[in-house]
């Protein structure tokens, strides 16, 4: 992650039109996605912005900006001239999630890591994760922070039903399923006593992009 | 029980509450949802004097009976279906008076898939994240309407005869005009204009040729999430997986099978399969009205440079 401001062209590899009113920003490094998304949001929140948008959707290596109110070439030129400030290292709020390590795939993950189930739990407890982006379902945050060497593949066969609160891993991402859904991630545990998604709450998602996350013992 | 409401006596295949959807929450994984055919929804509202964001009922494949609990004005647009009040035919795409206790029957559409029912004052169920829309993917919003469900209706000034005459004079887009054209029953060929991209370069030249040169059939697996097509498989030019990225309504996404899906209102906010093209906004209503068995012919324009 950049610790100083960077010209957007050094962070953004390209921009692609998506239909008539959306622009896909391709980011060179996944670590820079949050800062770019924040810069777009800051522009939209500024007084009297030159262009507005409906949604800013960060993802693994891209930021999609939808519902643009000006021609895409104009927006692209504007973003291309920006300097992107870095996100402060502790930008996001810290959320602690109580986790019971009871997932059906905990043994498989331990095998893939060449260690024991207890050691998997210990490792996950020691890491600080960050919500890189949300997608797939309301409140489902993709957490980064897992070292590349600990990345695990998805299950060969997705489950049709993953219990609500399940903590899963796929690739270099960790995530927690807010509600019952199909899912192909490796399930290592369950978040307890925590509403990951609550429509009555503001904001409804506990794991917003940029939030830092630690797993604690239930 | 509200005095001011509608009783969906018989819901038929699928009736959902819809409005203009939940914008601004895609970064939390919340689908935009809302009416699949936005112009039809908005037009129905216009015919009863509602604002565009008032909630309507999206009636899929007709077969619906709705009783008014209070004297009111309603209108139906979108997929053209025969209408009766009692046993008297009622006009489509026009304001219709319903006295308290009268039942409106919606038959099977002769063309199209989704008929929009607007009632003056709007369907007034509680909004969730700023919208009353039923999202069949995430489960947000009200559940699909079941038989014998009473829905509250918002308050609005009552309609005088002069008001009613003014509503009746509102201009009707030709697509929704009352038609006796039974030939519309046959499966339709729908020309859908698309702009290539963002990931058209993930596909071979032959695949892009097939996309534009062959017809795709709308399958019965289609729903508010997307229209699933069957036809020439679109072969990739790039090996390896695409990392999940944001997707828009109208995106033509191509999963591993090579069979395209056109995303509609309840599509997921991100996807890990490449999007070869995006439906032009003015043709999205055509896709929203596509029935299983209809055929889609894509007409593509190039991805512009930015």
């Amino acid at each position: 992650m950049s610790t100083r401001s960077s010209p957007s062209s050094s962070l953004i590899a390209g921009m692609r039109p998506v239909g008539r009113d959306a622009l896909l920003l391709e980011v060179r490094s996944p670590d820079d996605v949050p800062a770019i998304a924040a810069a777009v949001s800051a522009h939209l929140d500024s007084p009297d912005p030159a262009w507005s948008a409906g949604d800013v959707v960060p993802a693994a290596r891209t930021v999609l900006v939808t519902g643009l109110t000006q021609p895409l070439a104009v927006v692209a030129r504007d973003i291309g001239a920006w300097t992107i400030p870095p996100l402060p290292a502790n930008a996001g709020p810290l959320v602690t999630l109580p986790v019971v390590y009871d997932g059906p795939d905990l043994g498989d993950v331990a095998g893939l890591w060449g260690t024991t189930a207890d050691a998997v739990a210990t490792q996950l407890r020691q890491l600080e994760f960050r919500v890189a982006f949300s997608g797939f379902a309301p409140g489902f945050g993709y957490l980064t922070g897992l070292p590349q060497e600990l990345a695990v593949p998805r299950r060969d066969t997705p489950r049709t039903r993953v219990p609500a609160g399940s903590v899963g891993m796929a690739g270099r991402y960790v995530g927690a399923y807010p509600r019952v859904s199909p899912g192909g991630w490796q399930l290592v545990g369950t978040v307890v006593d925590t509403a990951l998604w609550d429509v009555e709450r503001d904001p409804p998602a506990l794991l917003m992009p940029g939030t830092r996350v630690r797993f604690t013992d239930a | 029980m509200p005095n001011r409401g509608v009783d969906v006596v018989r819901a038929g295949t699928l009736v959902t509450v819809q409005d203009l959807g939940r914008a601004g929450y895609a970064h939390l994984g919340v689908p935009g949802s809302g009416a699949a055919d936005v112009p039809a929804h908005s037009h129905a509202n216009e015919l009863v004097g509602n604002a565009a964001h008032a909630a309507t009922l999206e009636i899929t494949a007709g077969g619906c009976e709705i009783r008014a609990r209070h004297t009111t004005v309603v209108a139906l647009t979108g997929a053209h279906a025969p209408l009766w009040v009692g046993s008297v035919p009622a006009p489509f795409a026009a304001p219709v008076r319903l006295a308290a206790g009268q039942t409106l029957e919606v038959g099977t559409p002769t063309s199209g898939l989704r008929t929009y029912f607007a009632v003056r004052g709007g369907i007034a169920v509680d909004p969730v994240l700023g919208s009353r829309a039923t999202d069949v993917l995430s489960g947000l919003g009200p559940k699909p309407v079941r038989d014998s469900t009473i829905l509250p209706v918002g308050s609005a000034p009552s309609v005088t005869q002069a008001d009613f005459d003014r509503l009746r004079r509102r201009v009707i887009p030709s697509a929704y005009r009352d038609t006796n054209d039974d030939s519309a029953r046959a499966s339709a060929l729908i020309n859908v204009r698309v702009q290539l991209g963002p990931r058209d370069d993930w596909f071979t030249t032959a695949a892009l040729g097939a996309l534009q040169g062959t017809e795709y059939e709308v399958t019965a697996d289609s729903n508010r999430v997307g229209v699933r097509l069957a036809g020439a498989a679109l072969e990739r030019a790039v090996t390896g997986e695409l990392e999940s990225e944001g997707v828009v309504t109208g995106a033509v996404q191509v999963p591993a099978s090579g069979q395209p899906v056109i995303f509609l209102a309840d599509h997921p906010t991100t996807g890990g399969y490449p999007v070869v093209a995006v439906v032009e906004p003015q043709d999205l209503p055509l896709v929203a009205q596509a029935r299983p068995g209809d055929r889609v012919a894509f007409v593509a324009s190039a991805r512009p440079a930015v």
Side-chain angles (χ1 to χ4, degrees):
Chain A
M1 196 175 311
S2 230
T3 52
R4 58 182 192 282
S5 291
S6 308
S8 63
S9 57
S10 71
L11 304 183
I12 296 173
M15 304 193 206
R16 296 179 178 230
V18 179
R20 296 295 172 185
D21 67 351
L23 198 60
L24 186 69
L25 311 179
E26 299 177 88
V27 184
R28 292 184 204 281
S29 165
D31 292 340
D32 293 325
V33 165
I36 293 166
V40 177
S41 296
H43 163 88
L44 297 176
D45 290 341
S46 65
D48 202 21
W51 48 269
S52 194
D55 271 300
V56 181
V57 189
R61 256 178 220 275
T62 55
V63 177
L64 176 71
V65 191
T66 69
L68 288 162
T69 57
Q70 291 292 328
L72 301 186
V74 169
V75 176
R77 195 180 329 131
D78 192 35
I79 294 175
W82 286 357
T83 300
I84 310 284
L87 287 182
N90 293 349
L94 177 67
V95 166
T96 55
L97 297 179
V99 173
V100 172
Y101 292 94
D102 60 356
D105 307 321
L106 184 60
D108 286 349
V109 172
L112 288 164
W113 287 7
T115 186
T116 64
D118 279 349
V120 171
T122 301
Q123 172 71 87
L124 292 175
R125 265 185 224 109
Q126 286 171 351
L127 291 169
E128 181 173 290
F129 298 93
R130 189 181 193 123
V131 183
F133 64 98
S134 291
F136 165 69
F140 186 94
Y142 288 73
L143 309 184
T144 53
L146 199 63
Q148 186 58 39
E149 60 269 20
L150 298 183
V152 296
R154 291 167 189 256
R155 306 287 302 170
D156 283 340
T157 308
R159 294 181 169 90
T160 51
R161 190 184 183 283
V162 169
S166 294
V167 177
M169 301 171 58
R172 62 188 147 81
Y173 294 105
V174 178
Y177 291 82
R179 67 172 207 156
V180 171
S181 75
W185 291 30
Q186 307 273 6
L187 305 181
V188 295
T190 310
V191 175
V192 296
D193 300 329
T194 310
L196 295 166
W197 174 263
D198 180 359
V199 276
E200 307 291 321
R201 184 176 57 198
D202 181 20
L206 185 65
L207 303 183
M208 305 266 291
T211 299
R212 294 173 298 134
V213 179
R214 282 189 174 275
F215 296 136
T216 59
D217 286 339
Chain B
M1 277 303 126
N3 291 327
R4 201 179 157 82
V6 291
D7 184 356
V8 181
V9 175
R10 178 166 56 93
T13 303
L14 176 67
V15 173
T16 59
V17 179
Q18 295 300 334
D19 57 16
L20 297 179
R22 317 186 153 86
Y25 294 99
H27 65 292
L28 301 185
V30 177
S33 196
D37 180 348
V38 169
H41 154 90
S42 299
H43 196 68
N45 273 328
E46 198 181 335
L47 288 171
V48 301
N50 286 346
H53 61 75
T56 58
L57 297 180
E58 181 179 272
I59 301 168
T60 306
C64 187
E65 267 181 59
I66 302 172
R67 181 185 307 131
R69 293 176 63 80
H70 64 290
T71 296
T72 186
V73 175
V74 304
L76 289 95
T77 58
H80 183 263
L83 306 174
W84 297 271
V85 176
S87 50
V88 178
F92 192 80
V96 173
R97 284 194 186 281
L98 281 185
Q102 280 194 308
T103 298
L104 170 82
E105 195 181 332
V106 181
T108 304
T110 52
S111 63
L113 185 66
R114 295 181 168 96
T115 302
Y116 291 85
F117 167 90
V119 57
R120 187 166 169 90
I123 302 293
V125 296
D126 290 338
V128 171
L129 292 179
S131 166
R132 298 183 166 93
T134 299
D135 176 345
V136 301
L137 182 73
S138 73
L140 289 173
K143 298 276 169 279
V145 180
R146 289 155 45 153
D147 291 353
S148 307
T149 299
I150 296 172
L151 299 170
V153 168
S155 57
S158 34
V159 176
T160 64
Q161 187 59 48
D163 293 333
F164 190 77
D165 290 340
R166 258 193 298 276
L167 292 173
R168 274 205 307 190
R169 284 198 295 271
R170 290 192 161 170
V171 176
I172 304 168
S174 59
Y176 311 136
R177 248 182 239 288
D178 202 351
T179 170
N180 290 320
D181 184 4
D182 280 344
S183 71
R185 247 177 246 276
S187 95
L189 173 65
I190 307 171
N191 291 301
V192 177
R193 287 166 291 186
V194 298
Q195 177 181 288
L196 292 175
R199 299 296 180 190
D200 51 319
D201 55 349
W202 273 60
F203 297 90
T204 62
T205 310
L208 296 181
L211 178 73
Q212 298 172 71
T214 67
E215 290 174 8
Y216 287 82
E217 183 174 321
V218 176
T219 73
D221 287 337
S222 305
N223 60 15
R224 282 181 46 85
V225 175
V227 170
R228 295 187 178 273
L229 300 173
L234 299 175
E235 191 194 342
R236 285 198 203 169
V238 174
T239 55
E241 293 303 309
L242 178 73
E243 296 202 63
S244 281
E245 58 190 21
V247 295
V248 299
T249 301
V252 183
Q253 192 198 57
V254 186
S257 62
Q259 302 291 309
V261 179
I262 308 177
F263 278 155
L264 291 181
D266 289 351
H267 70 87
T269 56
T270 57
Y273 297 116
V275 169
V276 65
V278 177
V279 174
E280 299 281 11
Q282 63 270 34
D283 284 354
L284 207 47
L286 299 177
V287 180
Q289 294 294 351
R291 298 149 69 123
D294 285 346
R295 291 157 295 133
V296 168
F298 291 107
V299 179
S301 58
R303 169 161 50 100
V306 287

